[in-house]
Amino acid sequence: MHILDTGAGPDIELTLVCVHGNPTWSYLWRNFLAQAPSNVRVIALDHLGMGYSERLDSDRVLEQRVDDLTRLVRAL
């Protein structure tokens, strides 16, 4: 899963995870990331098969996408 991340640091007070809809991608959030205050970490992802993420041989159902997102957030 491709992610854009403004980065974690000692001054971070809030983390926002930006999730695109279908058929958009993380590019949708580019200006939001660029303008985020320094104390806010912003993470924007590309779902598998979309944007800069790995291409898949089959479609993913909603439950799989929710699981993907849950695992990503826990890992970060």
Side-chain angles (χ1 to χ4, degrees):
M1 187 178 297
H2 179 264
I3 62 169
L4 301 173
D5 188 346
T6 59
D11 298 330
I12 299 299
E13 297 177 18
L14 177 69
T15 299
L16 300 175
V17 179
C18 301
V19 182
H20 66 80
N22 189 10
T24 62
W25 55 309
S26 64
Y27 186 75
L28 173 74
W29 302 106
R30 68 193 180 285
N31 293 326
F32 189 73
L33 271 79
Q35 297 176 15
S38 61
N39 65 337
V40 177
R41 179 181 183 185
V42 183
I43 301 165
L45 64 109
D46 284 331
H47 287 288
L48 291 173
M50 298 179 179
Y52 288 119
S53 286
E54 176 184 349
R55 294 296 175 251
L56 306 171
D57 294 333
S58 61
D59 293 334
R60 296 186 68 73
V61 297
L62 178 60
E63 288 140 351
Q64 290 171 308
R65 295 204 183 276
V66 170
D67 184 56
D68 294 339
L69 180 59
T70 300
R71 286 186 294 127
L72 174 70
V73 170
R74 285 183 180 153
L76 293 173

